[in-house]
Amino acid sequence: MEKIIVIGNGMVGYKFCEKLRAKAGKNQFEITVFGEEPHPAYDRVHLSEYFTNPSVASLEMAPRSWYEENDINLISGEMIIAIDRANKTITSHKGTTLSYDKLILATGSSAFVPPIKGVEKQGVFVYRTIEDLDAIIEYSKKTKKAAVLGGGLLGLEAAKAMIDLKQETHVVEFAPRLMPRQLDNAGSDALLSKMEELGIRLHLNKNTRNISGDGKITAMEFADDSILDVEMLVISAGIKPRDELATACGLAVGQRGGIVVNDLLQTDDTDIYAIGECALHKNFIYGLVAPGYEMADVVVNQLIGSNDKTFKSYDMSTKLKLIGVDVASFGNALCENETHKPIVFEDNYKGIYKRINISEDGKRLLGGILVGEAEAYNMLLQITLNGMALPPNPEDLILGSRGGEETKMELPDSAQICSCENVTKGDICQAIVDNGFEDVAQVKACTKAGTGCGACNPIVKDIFNEQLAKMGKVVKNVICEHFDYSRQELLDIIKIKKVKDFDQLLDEHGKGDGCETCRPLAASLLASTWNEMILEKGKDAIQDTNDKYLANIQKGGSYSVVPRIPGGEITPDKLIVIGEVAKEYDLYTKITGGQRIDLFGAQIHQLPDIWEKLINAGFESGHAYGKSLRTVKSCVGSTWCRYGLHDSVSFSIEVEERYRGLRSPHKLKSAVSGCRRECAEAQSKDFGIIATEIGWNLYVCGNGGSNPQHAVLLAGDVDSATCLKYIDRFLMFYIKTAEPLNRTATWLNKLDGGIDYLIDVVVNDSLGIAADLEREMQFMVDTYKCEWKEVVNNPELRKKFTHFVNTEIPDPTMKFEDMRGQKKPVEWGA
Amino acid sequence: MTQEIAEYKTVKAEDVTTWYKAASMEAFPDNGGAAIEYKGLQIAIFNFSRRKEWYASQNLCPHKKQMILSRGMLGSEGEEPKVACPFHKKTFSLKTGNNLNGDECDLATYPVKIQDGYVYVGFSH
Ligand SMILES: Cc1cc2nc3c(=O)[nH]c(=O)nc-3n(C[C@H](O)[C@H](O)[C@H](O)COP(=O)(O)OP(=O)(O)OC[C@H]3O[C@@H](n4cnc5c(N)ncnc54)[C@H](O)[C@@H]3O)c2cc1C
Ligand code: SF4
Ligand code: FES
């Protein structure tokens, strides 16, 4: 077996292993990888996500077990310090010496630290590894003001991270503009205002002369004699290829660093290759991951015996990954040394700047810049890379066409769509045709497109839709592969054929064994038709986990418990019971946004005991686990409030008790306010009620969450009975006609005729179904039972609340730690 | 986490050296699963009664390393029986343990046999 040693277990070193194992025969190579960092290779491109989710596991390119399964000997935490080319061996700092047949240098680069006086001071960091980030996070706990040195792509990313760490954030750039290698002055200006909106303060044209402070940084001093007081500094001034090993063993390196390679990625020793950020190809270091992956591919190709593939210079187009800031540059963005005709669009009001560079002859796109609006990025990049002919009015490319047909351009099959994984449009279309895929996720799993940096996801989706349309496939609104019906059709079947269980539904109207999409959906339909206990008669097998255990599953596998507290009104005695239960079972306790109390961290076997205590004290299930009514929030209303018009608390309790336990396509939230000051925020709810001088205003289809939407008026100045009647009709109509997992707001947005139509149906009974809707709702109200009460009193149902069935012990892997005097689960995978 | 994911290795029917008597058949709900403990390992056993099949896999979901798959939802994709993790609905083949969404890694699976109303899981150690 040929011995391959890889030095460096970064993104490219990892990809090399993955590709070699995938393409080479089983026993062709013995692979050993050395990584100096303690973790297996991780996704450095998404390193900044570590600030919001500090989990190494979710950044890893593959878990350690992957290396084992693929028979790759991974040695982490060991640095190679010498290469002996004569004897073909390498030696690590621990003294390990191994021999190789072929050696792959994938040592990447380190952050470039400019020789400024004082850089060694405490509080000065670079931004490259997980260890760097850990140190920054730790240090930031004591600081309030941070600066980033360098206003390039990475520097801006680091600046956003400083904002996330709650620092007053400054960016210091030597050049007169931001992202000097990608943007022109006008583009930089547009970006500048975007960054300022994020709260980042920018200092251009600043040459840092000294970092001052006694042991630790307290200020930066500039050549123009100005001073910036800061407590922390992150340096992001470029990269320095790690070529020290290569230099020491006599391989050629570039003047400004980098291991010299030819088009086959060979160094001047043909048994040694260099790939990724440490390789200097045609006097160029590629500081991006996609070209590194391509280099890995070229070397793998040679090792398995074909020399037909060489590394050609690679596109350096980039898009900034900051949320809320669209910035991209592609092709020859600045065209500093190329004659061209630029077309520029600027909207200083919205902060948009777009520039495209057209070739002298007006036929080709050379490159461009997009700031503030970058949807066109993928398309423009493709036009540039593929040298596609331009539309008659090239300005349409950045203006969108005004009136008339939209300018849509058909990409050639050879267009490279995903540069991380080198997937072309042809590959994607072929995968769809060959496998009959009808879901983008399948296409992505098969081709790997979009699994790298993710920038190409929108265009992958477009190509997917286009291809399906070409094949004449209408993407019908069916639930999943097991039922050829929409949700509404399935509900009709359940009602008309009086279907009461899932197996019957599947046998008579579906195929296969069901799945995680259709099972909970059918469970919800059955519940909102027959209102039978959801855990009985085998129905537990079709409930989503939360419904199955009548509790919300949380990180680490514990559950939370939410008793109903109608209208948010609670007696001191009941509060004491909640406190006692929480104390006895050591539950993390929090007041929810819906005016009730959530108890977290219960183990599965404790749930029935906890609920027994709560039920004995007069509580009932709060259905926080279900797609069902959550809370009806209320303000204190006319009983106490000097502005109150009606008793909003009493009415909210009446409403909450009427609709408790009702299963619906998604969760339902409601509120009642005692006057139009609206303290209960009823207009952000699925249905909200506000007192008027003479009655109530009923608003529907509001939504907080990720896409906030105000509720709209369904009926004004109605009395309590009419209000309830309209809610009955409204909710039942929603339950019957909504698509799966659509909240009321989304449902209304899709409803033909919108709110006017809804008013017609609910208030004017234009469909003549109002009486049916009311009757069906009344049936639900009359058959309501507290699910937890039934479980607590039923030994059979109680039995399934255990972690193991062959021993009484609880899950030994569940772990908690302390936070502000209460417990919390340890992080994912920690 | 006290257990490393690497401890779970697929056992093929022909390699079984110990048939561990896990629990009676009734302990496993129809079309559902339950977990057992064996020498520090957590194994999820599934009673896919609709297909009249039994399966066993590691209880640990490789995605976020959660001991949870026994509470997952059973189903099929084409002919392949599968389980969906309760946390993020990643799905795995019950036959091969392969991740069906194409990301993350696969599950270790174990042979199951039924004898005299009891469920046995096969181990090779
Ligand atoms: C915050 C951040 C954001 C980024 N964003 C993007 C982006 O949006 N798009 C993009 O394309 N690129 C981006 N990059 C750049 C991208 O991460 C790199 O291009 C890529 O990681 C290079 O891979 P590599 O394997 O060549 O080097 P590295 O990932 O640096 O890996 C090299 C590894 O080798 C190890 N090593 C070095 N010498 C030795 C030795 N002697 N012995 C043992 N081990 C050794 C190092 O410790 C390191 O782990 C970003 C980088 C950072 C830091
Ligand atoms: S909404 Fe009106 S009645 Fe209710 S608390 Fe506010 S001001 Fe008082
Ligand atoms: S933990 Fe199982 S899918 Fe995320």
Side-chain angles (χ1 to χ4, degrees):
Chain A
M1 255 199 275
E2 200 170 350
K3 284 191 193 128
I4 308 283
I5 293 183
V6 185
I7 306 183
N9 182 220
M11 299 185 77
V12 175
Y14 164 80
K15 190 53 75 174
F16 170 82
C17 295
E18 185 194 286
K19 285 181 189 272
L20 186 60
R21 268 295 176 249
K23 290 196 180 164
K26 198 143 182 66
N27 295 317
Q28 204 177 342
F29 297 106
E30 179 189 303
I31 310 179
T32 306
V33 195
F34 284 90
E36 164 199 51
E37 296 185 65
H39 312 285
Y42 52 87
D43 182 355
R44 208 177 297 287
V45 170
H46 292 106
L47 189 61
S48 297
E49 288 173 13
Y50 189 73
F51 285 107
T52 38
N53 175 20
S55 148
V56 179
S58 57
L59 280 180
E60 273 170 14
M61 305 292 294
R64 216 169 260 285
S65 56
W66 178 87
Y67 297 86
E68 274 175 40
E69 280 155 24
N70 287 283
D71 208 9
I72 293 166
N73 185 16
L74 169 64
I75 303 172
S76 302
E78 225 170 302
M79 181 166 82
I80 302 305
I81 50 167
I83 300 172
D84 178 346
R85 282 169 54 196
N87 295 309
K88 291 180 87 173
T89 61
I90 51 102
T91 304
S92 84
H93 80 290
K94 292 192 181 161
T96 318
T97 298
L98 282 181
S99 65
Y100 62 84
D101 295 315
K102 296 275 186 233
L103 184 65
I104 316 293
L105 301 174
T107 49
S109 56
S110 52
F112 168 68
V113 179
I116 300 170
K117 235 175 79 200
V119 278
E120 73 294 341
K121 290 204 164 66
Q122 257 188 54
V124 181
F125 300 93
V126 295
Y127 195 83
R128 176 87 197 168
T129 65
I130 287 181
E131 277 65 40
D132 294 335
L133 266 60
D134 279 334
I136 291 173
I137 293 172
E138 193 49 40
Y139 200 81
S140 74
K141 290 179 184 158
K142 297 171 295 191
T143 64
K144 293 205 179 63
K145 194 170 170 188
V148 174
L149 185 68
L153 265 171
L154 243 144
L156 296 180
E157 218 183 293
K160 174 63 175 29
M162 292 308 111
I163 292 275
D164 292 340
L165 289 176
K166 311 249 165 2
Q167 304 291 311
E168 180 191 315
T169 304
H170 298 257
V171 170
V172 175
E173 168 61 49
F174 179 79
R177 60 179 193 252
L178 290 177
M179 293 175 56
R181 285 195 296 170
Q182 288 92 2
L183 298 185
D184 55 13
N185 287 333
S188 163
D189 285 346
L191 176 58
L192 219 63
S193 57
K194 292 273 166 200
M195 298 309 286
E196 274 163 2
E197 279 169 30
L198 287 177
I200 295 169
R201 301 179 201 183
L202 300 140
H203 310 268
L204 302 175
N205 275 322
K206 289 282 177 193
N207 181 1
T208 311
R209 198 178 54 197
N210 185 29
I211 293 170
S212 55
D214 184 10
K216 61 183 183 196
I217 175 171
T218 51
M220 299 168 73
E221 295 167 12
F222 306 110
D224 61 4
D225 285 337
S226 59
I227 289 179
L228 177 66
D229 289 330
V230 286
E231 297 163 286
M232 176 161 79
L233 175 66
V234 175
I235 294 182
S236 173
I239 54 173
K240 189 163 95 333
R242 295 199 49 183
D243 54 13
E244 63 272 13
L245 273 177
T247 315
C249 69
L251 295 174
V253 296
Q255 223 168 33
R256 298 204 344 251
I259 307 165
V260 176
V261 291
N262 60 18
D263 288 354
L264 292 169
L265 283 323
Q266 290 161 331
T267 62
D268 24 82
D269 180 333
T270 47
D271 290 327
I272 304 182
Y273 296 87
I275 56 178
E277 260 182 15
C278 63
L280 185 70
H281 178 255
K282 298 215 161 107
N283 222 2
F284 198 85
I285 294 283
Y286 289 92
L288 293 176
V289 70
Y293 284 2
E294 176 69 10
M295 292 179 184
D297 205 58
V298 171
V299 176
V300 164
N301 217 38
Q302 287 166 62
L303 293 181
I304 59 172
S306 58
N307 267 4
D308 55 351
K309 191 168 175 180
T310 55
F311 182 80
K312 305 192 181 63
S313 58
Y314 211 87
D315 177 60
M316 287 293 283
S317 307
T318 35
K319 204 171 160 195
L320 189 66
K321 303 190 292 287
L322 292 193
I323 300 158
V325 186
D326 272 350
V327 179
S329 81
F330 57 93
N332 193 349
L334 300 176
C335 274
E336 277 163 341
N337 303 314
E338 193 167 355
T339 48
H340 67 287
K341 298 178 184 153
I343 300 180
V344 173
F345 169 78
E346 229 176 320
D347 177 344
N348 289 326
Y349 178 66
K350 289 193 185 145
I352 296 172
Y353 173 79
K354 300 182 191 179
R355 161 178 167 181
I356 48 177
N357 306 319
I358 310 285
S359 62
E360 189 78 288
D361 60 7
K363 288 192 177 138
R364 300 278 177 259
L365 186 57
L366 302 172
I369 295 168
L370 302 169
V371 180
E373 197 180 273
E375 276 107 89
Y377 170 69
N378 278 306
M379 195 59 180
L380 294 176
L381 174 61
Q382 292 303 337
I383 295 175
T384 311
L385 294 182
N386 295 290
M388 289 163 65
L390 293 180
N393 301 310
E395 66 270 24
D396 287 352
L397 291 172
I398 49 173
L399 297 178
S401 69
R402 292 125 295 153
E405 283 282 287
E406 207 186 318
T407 20
K408 256 216 166 152
M409 312 226 357
E410 168 101 20
L411 295 175
D413 276 353
S414 61
Q416 189 200 43
I417 303 299
C418 172
S419 58
C420 294
E421 293 289 341
N422 191 9
V423 185
T424 63
K425 177 184 169 191
D427 296 336
I428 295 175
C429 295
Q430 201 60 42
I432 299 170
V433 174
D434 290 352
N435 305 295
F437 290 146
E438 296 195 354
D439 183 349
V440 213
Q442 294 169 311
V443 178
K444 285 162 66 179
C446 167
T447 59
K448 290 202 160 188
T451 57
C453 73
C456 63
N457 275 328
I459 196 164
V460 171
K461 172 101 197 168
D462 286 347
I463 292 175
F464 172 77
N465 287 338
E466 237 171 66
Q467 180 63 28
L468 279 196
K470 256 191 214 153
M471 291 159 68
K473 277 197 196 162
V474 195
V475 190
K476 193 187 158 199
N477 228 348
V478 300
I479 294 165
C480 64
E481 64 172 83
H482 303 107
F483 290 100
D484 270 333
Y485 300 105
S486 69
R487 182 181 174 279
Q488 197 175 346
E489 289 166 335
L490 208 58
L491 179 65
D492 289 340
I493 291 175
I494 288 175
K495 285 207 164 137
I496 295 163
K497 299 270 170 80
K498 302 222 173 344
V499 181
K500 290 213 169 177
D501 74 68
F502 180 72
D503 274 343
Q504 183 194 350
L505 190 65
L506 198 54
D507 291 339
E508 294 172 7
H509 307 282
K511 55 178 181 284
D513 302 302
C515 66
E516 67 283 1
T517 304
C518 61
R519 282 172 176 255
L521 184 123
S524 162
L525 296 178
L526 290 168
S528 44
T529 310
W530 310 118
N531 216 14
E532 290 178 341
M533 167 66 189
I534 63 169
L535 299 188
E536 276 176 346
K537 299 189 210 147
K539 278 204 280 291
D540 57 338
I542 57 172
Q543 309 294 342
D544 256 332
T545 323
N546 288 351
D547 272 315
K548 200 163 170 182
Y549 294 98
L550 303 177
N552 295 35
I553 194 163
Q554 309 291 353
K555 275 188 182 173
S558 70
Y559 288 87
S560 65
V561 166
V562 190
R564 186 169 295 291
I565 301 179
E569 182 181 271
I570 186 163
T571 62
D573 281 337
K574 279 187 150 179
L575 265 181
I576 289 171
V577 173
I578 292 191
E580 282 170 353
V581 169
K583 209 164 170 180
E584 178 174 352
Y585 292 92
D586 185 21
L587 304 175
Y588 167 77
T589 309
K590 183 176 191 310
I591 298 185
T592 72
Q595 300 184 334
R596 43 190 193 177
I597 298 172
D598 205 340
L599 308 170
F600 293 78
Q603 304 204 19
I604 191 163
H605 66 277
Q606 299 174 325
L607 289 172
D609 299 343
I610 291 175
W611 275 105
E612 185 160 10
K613 296 206 161 93
L614 292 171
I615 282 168
N616 287 340
F619 286 104
E620 60 175 3
S621 167
H623 295 98
Y625 45 82
K627 302 270 181 273
S628 54
L629 179 76
R630 294 291 166 86
T631 64
V632 182
K633 194 171 164 179
S634 73
C635 73
V636 71
S638 63
T639 39
W640 292 87
C641 176
R642 65 201 156 110
Y643 297 112
L645 297 171
H646 310 305
D647 179 359
S648 50
V649 180
S650 297
F651 196 43
S652 80
I653 294 174
E654 187 178 351
V655 173
E656 181 154 349
E657 292 189 336
R658 183 168 180 81
Y659 304 112
R660 63 188 164 184
L662 178 73
R663 291 302 200 274
S664 46
H666 211 303
K667 62 185 168 199
L668 290 168
K669 295 184 177 181
S670 177
V672 183
S673 280
C675 81
R676 63 182 155 75
R677 285 172 189 76
E678 247 283 70
C679 297
E681 299 165 339
Q683 290 167 98
S684 65
K685 305 297 181 196
D686 293 282
F687 57 104
I689 303 163
I690 302 174
T692 68
E693 252 72 30
I694 54 169
W696 306 101
N697 279 348
L698 173 59
Y699 294 83
V700 293
C701 303
N703 199 177
S706 55
N707 281 314
Q709 190 167 320
H710 272 130
V712 284
L713 187 69
L714 185 80
D717 288 329
V718 291
D719 60 25
S720 303
T722 312
C723 188
L724 289 180
K725 189 165 81 180
Y726 289 168
I727 301 174
D728 280 5
R729 295 176 184 179
F730 160 71
L731 288 178
M732 260 302 155
F733 188 54
Y734 162 63
I735 289 173
K736 289 191 144 181
T737 57
E739 283 172 44
L741 297 179
N742 276 194
R743 289 284 297 266
T744 55
T746 320
W747 168 69
L748 179 65
N749 296 344
K750 291 186 192 167
L751 198 66
D752 263 345
I755 183 67
D756 294 333
Y757 174 73
L758 187 60
I759 292 175
D760 251 6
V761 174
V762 172
V763 179
N764 308 327
D765 193 14
S766 61
L767 298 179
I769 56 170
D772 286 341
L773 297 173
E774 282 171 45
R775 191 173 33 73
E776 284 167 346
M777 184 59 85
Q778 195 57 44
F779 172 77
M780 292 293 147
V781 176
D782 294 341
T783 50
Y784 165 79
K785 287 201 196 108
C786 169
E787 288 155 357
W788 264 114
K789 196 166 179 182
E790 297 195 40
V791 171
V792 164
N793 294 323
N794 181 333
E796 266 309 300
L797 290 177
R798 275 183 92 131
K799 265 209 274 185
K800 61 178 203 116
F801 288 85
T802 64
H803 185 71
F804 293 118
V805 292
N806 66 337
T807 153
E808 307 251 288
I809 60 166
D811 180 0
T813 63
M814 199 178 284
K815 270 204 216 148
F816 299 97
E817 56 197 31
D818 179 82
M819 190 180 201
R820 290 184 293 277
Q822 295 203 67
K823 73 176 176 188
K824 76 174 193 60
V826 297
E827 257 316 310
W828 292 123
Chain B
M1 189 87 357
T2 52
Q3 284 161 318
E4 276 299 314
I5 181 169
E7 288 180 31
Y8 295 94
K9 292 248 163 68
T10 292
V11 175
K12 298 221 178 67
E14 60 270 24
D15 299 333
V16 171
T17 52
T18 318
W19 283 103
Y20 172 69
K21 185 174 181 179
S24 88
M25 288 169 75
E26 282 77 63
F28 303 91
D30 277 350
N31 297 307
I36 62 144
E37 195 270 349
Y38 174 76
K39 294 193 178 167
L41 298 180
Q42 293 198 25
I43 307 295
I45 301 179
F46 301 100
N47 171 14
F48 210 153
S49 45
R50 193 186 152 75
R51 296 169 62 110
K52 304 200 171 40
E53 292 165 356
W54 289 79
Y55 294 99
S57 73
Q58 64 188 58
N59 195 26
L60 184 86
C61 178
H63 175 221
K64 291 287 182 185
K65 318 266 186 299
Q66 301 285 303
M67 280 297 179
I68 205 65
L69 290 172
S70 66
R71 295 178 219 164
M73 185 171 285
L74 299 185
S76 63
E77 185 171 315
E79 286 305 303
E80 200 76 4
K82 63 173 184 175
V83 58
C85 174
F87 275 99
H88 311 93
K89 301 223 163 134
K90 306 264 179 205
T91 54
F92 303 89
S93 159
L94 290 169
K95 284 200 167 137
T96 60
N98 285 350
N99 180 312
L100 299 172
N101 314 98
D103 43 8
E104 313 304 331
C105 50
D106 306 333
L107 301 182
T109 57
Y110 301 81
V112 182
K113 74 173 182 189
I114 306 293
Q115 206 170 308
D116 302 330
Y118 280 88
V119 180
Y120 293 76
V121 189
F123 293 98
S124 54
H125 67 285

